[in-house]
Amino acid sequence: MEHLINQRVKNIEISGIRKFFNLVADLDDLISFTIGQPDFPTPNHVKAAGIQAIEEDFTSYTHNAGTLELRKAATQFVQKKYDLHYQPESEVIVTMGASEAIDIAFRTILSEGSEVLLPGPIYPGYEPIIRMMGSVPVHVDIRNNQFRFTLEMMKPYITDKTRCIVLPYPSNPTGVSLSSNELKEIAEFIKDKDIFILADEIYSELTFEHKHTSIASFIKDKTIVINGLSKSHSMTGWRIGFLFAPEYLTKHILKVHQYNVSCANSIAQKAAYEALTAGINDAEVMKEEYNKRREYVYMRLTGMGLDVVKPDGAFYFFVKIPDAIPLNSFDFALKLVHETKVAVVPGSAFSEFGEGYFRLSFACSMANLELGLNKMESFFRQWV
């Protein structure tokens, strides 16, 4: 009966990140620099709010878009942090993580033959959804532009079929952000074009050089902002995301969300409210620690002579594999893990433009970073 399965589903593959992680996860004494999972616990006051929700039997369906108190907290959060202005009643949807928000956004705005511009390298969670919609992902090679998906880079790829441009900043896997001026240039260029922006800003609270700027502050009417609590409050398993967009968009996106999941987890919504109110600055402690790690890892990688762009945000380095190593990124990562028990993600997981690189996550202890980087340095000495 397998021949009856939707061909578009059959054609997509499991994420290269997960594929490699699952391949090496059972190795003993593994030092993993793979998964983008904060190594901090969910803040205690947020966990307490979830426990209280259970004890008070807050376990029923909520409004499809989420509780009004949480939607108000979410709009107040982005207003205070990023000067974004949305109506809580009609311009925000609480989703099952940022992943669901991306899914329902694409399913609402894309149709057969639509083209979506994506920077390459890029997180692998967008392309499969685009393809399942019968749309066409168009990757733009940004490797020689310090991984910056600027207007100059995207202009040659914009056609009359372009429906959406994806701006995932700070970026997974590179950690790079766009400046306010770069975002403004993009907004000015597309303001008179029938093109949406999908701004994936899940790492917006983890920026090191400058405060995060959202392109929605320049062009709200065409922008769908994706955010959530997974990275800012170390709440990956709680699965709470947010989709912000003008009402003319959310009223249709909400229909897709309703038939997909009905509503986000009610208990997690109570915890999310606590995170966005009492915990509005919870990310600061984590960010301070991440910044220390970022500086340390950058010093170590450059000290090994590796070609790397220092990240502006998130908790990743995207590192070029030295030319002296005659292996593709998957075989390199496999050899590294078998010889040193240090796991990184092969760059090929992030589109064809990630080939020749590897991603290193510094969302782990300083002790593991030091030990793992010592092993990596010994490994590289064999080749360079």
Side-chain angles (χ1 to χ4, degrees):
M1 299 292 283
E2 188 176 352
H3 66 283
L4 300 178
I5 293 173
N6 186 319
Q7 191 61 45
R8 288 175 181 165
V9 175
K10 290 174 72 173
N11 288 343
I12 64 175
E13 296 184 8
I14 298 297
S15 158
I17 305 172
R18 283 287 173 178
K19 188 183 294 185
F20 191 81
F21 176 79
N22 294 339
L23 187 65
V24 302
D26 293 333
L27 293 177
D28 294 331
D29 303 319
L30 181 72
I31 298 175
S32 179
F33 298 151
T34 56
I35 299 297
Q37 165 71 51
D39 62 316
F40 296 89
T42 300
N44 286 332
H45 68 102
V46 176
K47 291 187 286 187
I51 293 169
Q52 183 178 350
I54 295 172
E55 291 177 339
E56 294 179 356
D57 293 324
F58 191 73
T59 55
S60 301
Y61 292 120
T62 70
H63 188 288
N64 292 128
T67 65
L68 184 57
E69 71 167 5
L70 178 55
R71 284 180 278 146
K72 285 180 177 178
T75 55
Q76 289 165 4
F77 184 91
V78 295
Q79 180 177 343
K80 181 173 182 178
K81 294 281 187 174
Y82 318 123
D83 196 28
L84 298 179
H85 300 269
Y86 292 97
Q87 294 300 316
E89 297 84 2
S90 59
E91 295 186 321
V92 56
I93 301 171
V94 183
T95 62
M96 294 292 285
S99 296
E100 193 233 337
I102 293 166
D103 177 64
I104 60 177
F106 279 151
R107 286 205 276 159
T108 302
I109 66 172
L110 298 183
S111 54
E112 195 81 23
S114 300
E115 293 179 355
V116 180
L117 265 57
L118 305 152
I122 190 171
Y123 173 70
Y126 311 102
E127 181 176 344
I129 304 168
I130 295 166
R131 290 194 181 281
M132 282 191 286
M133 290 303 303
S135 298
V136 182
V138 179
H139 289 92
V140 178
D141 184 357
I142 58 170
R143 289 173 295 182
N144 294 326
N145 197 40
Q146 298 286 292
F147 300 125
R148 308 176 80 81
F149 192 28
T150 56
L151 177 61
E152 181 184 4
M153 300 299 294
M154 62 181 68
K155 261 185 176 180
Y157 296 87
I158 293 175
T159 72
D160 57 2
K161 293 183 179 179
T162 304
R163 180 68 55 80
C164 180
I165 299 170
V166 177
L167 293 178
Y169 290 107
S171 163
N172 175 8
T174 68
V176 169
S177 291
L178 293 184
S179 70
S180 179
N181 285 338
E182 288 168 331
L183 292 168
K184 191 173 183 179
E185 284 181 356
I186 297 169
E188 284 292 318
F189 180 75
I190 71 159
K191 68 180 182 181
D192 298 321
K193 294 178 170 54
D194 292 333
I195 298 173
F196 293 108
I197 295 286
L198 188 140
D200 186 349
E201 303 180 3
I202 191 67
Y203 293 97
S204 61
E205 282 295 278
L206 302 179
T207 57
F208 306 114
E209 307 296 343
H210 305 285
K211 184 178 178 181
H212 174 74
T213 300
S214 174
I215 193 170
S217 61
F218 303 116
I219 190 165
K220 174 186 172 181
D221 64 314
K222 294 185 177 182
T223 301
I224 300 169
V225 175
I226 308 295
N227 215 314
L229 300 177
S230 290
K231 315 300 181 179
S232 62
H233 290 75
S234 195
M235 294 177 67
T236 53
W238 295 79
R239 307 313 300 139
I240 291 292
F242 300 103
L243 184 150
F244 301 91
E247 183 179 359
Y248 82 90
L249 274 170
T250 56
K251 70 180 182 181
H252 295 295
I253 297 173
L254 184 60
K255 292 182 285 187
V256 183
H257 169 74
Q258 173 193 337
Y259 290 114
N260 192 8
V261 299
S262 293
C263 64
N265 180 298
S266 60
I267 297 156
Q269 287 191 57
K270 281 290 187 182
Y273 175 79
E274 175 73 12
L276 293 178
T277 53
I280 189 169
N281 292 317
D282 279 352
E284 291 300 317
V285 174
M286 290 185 279
K287 183 165 72 171
E288 184 177 343
E289 179 60 27
Y290 287 139
N291 196 26
K292 292 176 185 176
R293 298 175 190 175
R294 177 183 73 128
E295 295 293 344
Y296 174 73
V297 175
Y298 184 68
M299 176 198 60
R300 292 297 307 274
L301 293 174
T302 54
M304 297 178 205
L306 297 175
D307 182 1
V308 61
V309 175
K310 192 175 186 179
D312 306 308
F315 35 65
Y316 307 110
F317 279 87
F318 204 59
V319 188
K320 193 172 189 311
I321 299 169
D323 293 337
I325 300 179
L327 299 171
N328 64 36
S329 61
F330 188 89
D331 290 340
F332 162 81
L334 206 56
K335 188 174 183 64
L336 179 70
V337 79
H338 286 311
E339 291 193 8
T340 68
K341 291 196 173 179
V342 175
V344 296
V345 179
S348 56
F350 304 98
S351 85
E352 63 180 294
F353 298 113
E355 183 54 70
Y357 293 79
F358 66 89
R359 190 192 75 176
L360 183 155
S361 168
F362 54 92
C364 58
S365 71
M366 189 65 84
N368 273 354
L369 285 172
E370 184 174 358
L371 179 58
L373 288 165
N374 286 344
K375 291 184 172 188
M376 287 178 66
E377 186 167 13
S378 297
F379 177 85
F380 283 122
R381 281 203 202 106
Q382 303 173 40
W383 303 89
V384 287

